[in-house]
Amino acid sequence: MSRRAATLAVASVLVLVLALVGSLMPVPYVTLMPGPTRNTLAENAKGQAIITIDGRRTYPTEGSLNFTTVTYRGGPGGRIDLLTALRGWLDGDTAVVPEETIFPEDESPEEVDEQNTRQMTDSQQDAEAAALHELGVPISTRVVVDSVQKGRPADGKLKPEDEITAVNGTAITKVDQVSKVMDGVRPGQTVTLTVRRGGKELQQRITTAKGPDGGAVVGVVLAGAYKFPFKIDVNIGDIGGPSAGLIFSLAIIDKLTPGALTGGKFIAGTGTITPDGEVGPIGGIEQKMIAARRAGATVFLTPKDNCAAAVEARPDGLRLVRADTLATARQALVALTTGKGDVPACPS
């Protein structure tokens, strides 16, 4: 073999080795893929109804009303390699996004998971409130302790999930009412909190400290919650995020009203929900539509702000129905079922 040929052979081997090593190097990207989809009118893997309602009459229904999810690979501590990222870029069902899109630099993977779990819990509560508002069922609000700051005056006296019913004798049903009462308290003064814990009411006297803004604080984070006139449970297991809110609300409405809201059709969808019924955008719309169509859905409820991306990536056989609010989504399903009325489409 000539010297030139030997040099070329060695160079080729080096290039191949470098390419192979480079392809296996971790990269700061995450792949998003179609995830599982669940029928909220049916049972979960444990044989429990996904949505159960106690203390109110419910009605039989039929069809499918599925929420959709996205799964991911990668992230800090488990990064994908370059070869996996390249395969994702070439796969029409997969999206490859920068790692910080899913895992902000200032949050650990555990914090992200905890946030997703909290978002799902909040989404379920908002979905319940939105459904009952839509049906005209009165509900009231309450104030609960979300967390207690260590080393602050409330540490050891208040616990997460404590309900604050009064501050210095003033009845409390909203978080801003607490702030108004505390505005009249100076650091070092004692406040009396009326707390409901485990069905019992107790009084907690707490000496306040000086907060960052100079005002009096006890060291808790408060959150607004609802008092529902009957019990609603959503049993979906280990799934996080807020994007199933719209579907949860529609499923609750379906169970609380006569007839099948789906008309027996296979409906899927996505969208966040506010307590007053506004539908918000979500991420991963392309993967969620793919998951829905693979499961058998023929109609997909789509937040209006996701419509443009949804139209570009719509799978064959999937009809996109625009959902601006819970009320319009409900009306659209009735129109689909009866053939009467307009069905808003993406785009409009």
Side-chain angles (χ1 to χ4, degrees):
M1 179 183 295
S2 68
R3 180 178 297 178
R4 181 178 180 183
T7 301
L8 287 173
V10 171
S12 298
V13 170
L14 287 174
V15 169
L16 182 61
V17 169
L18 288 173
L20 180 60
V21 171
S23 69
L24 297 177
M25 289 180 62
V27 292
Y29 288 91
V30 174
T31 58
L32 304 180
M33 298 159 288
T37 171
R38 298 284 185 269
N39 181 11
T40 54
L41 304 179
E43 297 180 341
N44 60 22
K46 296 181 179 180
Q48 305 167 316
I50 287 182
I51 293 179
T52 59
I53 300 174
D54 293 323
R56 187 85 170 192
R57 181 180 179 184
T58 58
Y59 299 86
T61 188
E62 61 180 346
S64 297
L65 192 54
N66 285 43
F67 70 85
T68 51
T69 65
V70 172
T71 60
Y72 69 86
R73 290 182 62 189
R79 284 182 169 172
I80 60 173
D81 55 46
L82 179 59
L83 191 59
T84 301
L86 290 173
R87 283 200 299 263
W89 273 310
L90 296 173
D91 182 359
D93 293 351
T94 302
V96 182
V97 300
E99 189 175 83
E100 60 267 22
T101 304
I102 309 297
F103 299 95
E105 293 182 0
D106 58 345
E107 296 181 15
S108 68
E110 292 75 20
E111 289 173 329
V112 171
D113 287 342
E114 183 179 342
Q115 182 182 27
N116 285 338
T117 299
R118 185 180 298 275
Q119 286 178 336
M120 175 58 80
T121 301
D122 292 344
S123 174
Q124 291 171 12
Q125 184 179 124
D126 289 345
E128 293 168 20
L132 298 193
H133 278 142
E134 173 67 14
L135 295 175
V137 178
I139 60 176
S140 56
T141 58
R142 60 193 182 102
V143 176
V144 297
V145 175
D146 186 67
S147 62
V148 180
Q149 298 169 345
K150 291 185 178 180
R152 284 294 195 172
D155 190 9
K157 293 190 174 184
L158 296 180
K159 299 179 180 180
E161 302 302 323
D162 281 351
E163 180 182 351
I164 308 298
T165 60
V167 179
N168 284 347
T170 300
I172 297 298
T173 58
K174 296 181 180 179
V175 174
D176 60 357
Q177 293 173 328
V178 178
S179 300
K180 289 178 181 178
V181 174
M182 292 299 293
D183 285 344
V185 178
R186 296 192 306 273
Q189 290 185 323
T190 299
V191 294
T192 301
L193 304 180
T194 305
V195 178
R196 183 174 290 118
R197 179 188 299 164
K200 298 180 180 180
E201 192 168 270
L202 59 146
Q203 305 288 323
Q204 293 284 24
R205 289 176 55 82
I206 302 176
T207 301
T208 61
K210 187 176 182 179
D213 61 355
V217 299
V218 298
V220 295
V221 176
L222 300 177
Y226 294 96
K227 284 184 178 180
F228 297 112
F230 48 89
K231 188 176 181 180
I232 304 173
D233 284 326
V234 180
N235 308 295
I236 58 168
D238 188 21
I239 295 177
S243 64
L246 170 62
I247 299 301
F248 289 154
S249 289
L250 289 169
I252 292 168
I253 289 172
D254 198 4
K255 291 203 167 195
L256 290 173
T257 53
L261 191 57
T262 67
K265 300 179 184 295
F266 194 137
I267 311 291
T270 189
T272 63
I273 197 77
T274 64
D276 59 359
E278 292 292 324
V279 177
I282 51 80
I285 187 69
E286 296 89 348
Q287 286 70 43
K288 289 179 179 178
M289 290 191 301
I290 293 169
R293 188 67 188 110
R294 285 178 179 172
T298 56
V299 175
F300 193 85
L301 296 170
T302 312
K304 61 181 178 181
D305 291 338
N306 289 119
C307 268
V311 168
E312 290 293 325
R314 180 183 65 85
D316 291 339
L318 192 65
R319 179 178 181 178
L320 301 182
V321 174
R322 195 186 75 235
D324 299 352
T325 66
L326 175 60
T328 60
R330 181 186 181 191
Q331 292 165 6
L333 292 184
V334 171
L336 283 169
T337 300
T338 63
K340 300 177 181 178
D342 296 329
V343 179
C346 285
S348 63

